[in-house]
Amino acid sequence: MIEVYAAIDILGGQCVRLKRGDFANPIVYGDPVEMAERWQSAGCDWLHVVDLDGALCGRSVNVSKVAAIIATTSRPVQLGGGLRDRDAVEAALGAGCERVVLGSAAVIDPASATEMARAWRGRVALALDIKRGEIAVEGWTKGSGITVDEAIGMLAEAPFASVVVTDIARDGLMRGVALETVEEVLEVTPWPVIVSGGISSREDAEAIADLSHRHRRGHKLRGVIVGRALYEGAVTIAEIKAALEG
């Protein structure tokens, strides 16, 4: 089963979407808590919450908004952004997040990320934010100089719950999924894959389902994160689920 994650990106206390990770021109959609309740009512399986301010500065910023989402919804929350050390991870999980996502922290300090994945087995995911074949860090603002293969190689021993794969060139543009990037990760990842970025129609969801069926490691496709397409009304969660099941 491929689950649907509704994206809740928080910047300055507001729910926003970015185009290709551009912080200068966010699209503002309103209160994150209201959006979380909306997508829960629409039938999402998970809420994928990202503290964009936290991703930029390296520490959790929108704590109160995340806490309010957890308090007012019943869907499991997957949180990323600014989680760079054990204290931050422990605080997020203790506050009620079902899963946390390590991005920059995992690439910068693979040993520590591996330890955290072992300490909270099944509750720590890895984010691979990919820009022209390179892993981006610090809120997608910098390149790491590390390729996808190198990153997975450094972290291969970590028991991550999943890996969130985002092709930054497609994120927020509603131009389809970078299937070649997903296939590249499928070939080398030891973890279940969650696809993020570019899912904008039922056809995109059908393409993910087709990849899951035909790829020799397609069974590792476990989720899709959908953002702007939901907010713009280009596709519904029900349509995405029907396409994935079909």
Side-chain angles (χ1 to χ4, degrees):
M1 176 182 175
I2 301 177
E3 296 180 301
V4 177
Y5 293 64
I8 310 284
D9 291 358
I10 308 174
L11 183 67
Q14 295 291 305
C15 182
V16 306
R17 295 302 295 163
L18 306 180
K19 295 181 179 180
R20 292 177 174 168
D22 180 10
F23 282 81
N25 298 291
I27 305 170
V28 180
Y29 291 106
D31 182 67
V33 181
E34 292 178 2
M35 294 298 104
E37 292 175 320
R38 176 180 175 183
W39 303 134
Q40 173 176 271
S41 297
C44 71
D45 298 300
W46 285 73
L47 294 167
H48 177 74
V49 181
V50 179
D51 183 345
L52 292 175
D53 297 289
L56 282 175
C57 71
R59 58 178 177 80
S60 297
V61 174
N62 292 287
V63 177
S64 62
K65 288 294 184 180
V66 176
I69 289 172
I70 293 169
T72 58
T73 61
S74 58
R75 291 294 186 271
V77 170
Q78 176 173 274
L79 176 67
L83 304 174
R84 304 284 171 85
D85 56 39
R86 289 181 65 95
D87 288 344
V89 168
E90 186 171 21
L93 294 175
C97 292
E98 182 64 26
R99 187 186 297 156
V100 297
V101 183
L102 301 180
S104 299
V107 174
I108 294 169
D109 190 349
S112 179
T114 299
E115 289 177 4
M116 285 187 275
R118 287 172 177 162
W120 293 284
R121 192 174 293 265
R123 302 188 70 187
V124 178
L126 169 68
L128 293 180
D129 301 321
I130 305 165
K131 191 172 186 177
R132 292 188 291 274
E134 179 184 15
I135 303 299
V137 295
E138 296 185 26
W140 300 356
T141 60
K142 297 181 180 179
S144 65
I146 297 171
T147 67
V148 173
D149 285 356
E150 289 169 341
I152 291 176
M154 292 189 304
L155 293 157
E157 298 303 314
F160 289 117
S162 59
V163 55
V164 179
V165 180
T166 305
D167 189 311
I168 297 172
R170 301 291 185 98
D171 191 66
L173 296 184
M174 297 172 62
R175 294 180 181 172
V177 183
L179 293 175
E180 64 281 1
T181 300
V182 178
E183 290 191 70
E184 177 186 355
V185 174
L186 280 174
E187 284 294 334
V188 294
T189 178
W191 316 292
V193 173
I194 299 172
V195 180
S196 175
I199 297 171
S200 59
S201 66
R202 180 175 180 132
E203 288 73 23
D204 292 331
E206 288 173 345
I208 292 291
D210 177 65
L211 178 59
S212 177
H213 290 309
R214 66 178 169 79
H215 195 281
R216 69 184 185 88
R217 304 189 76 201
H219 63 282
K220 285 189 172 291
L221 278 169
R222 301 289 177 78
V224 295
I225 297 173
V226 190
R228 187 182 171 196
L230 293 180
Y231 291 90
E232 299 288 342
V235 68
T236 67
I237 289 174
E239 289 171 337
I240 293 170
K241 285 192 166 187
L244 292 173
E245 291 169 3

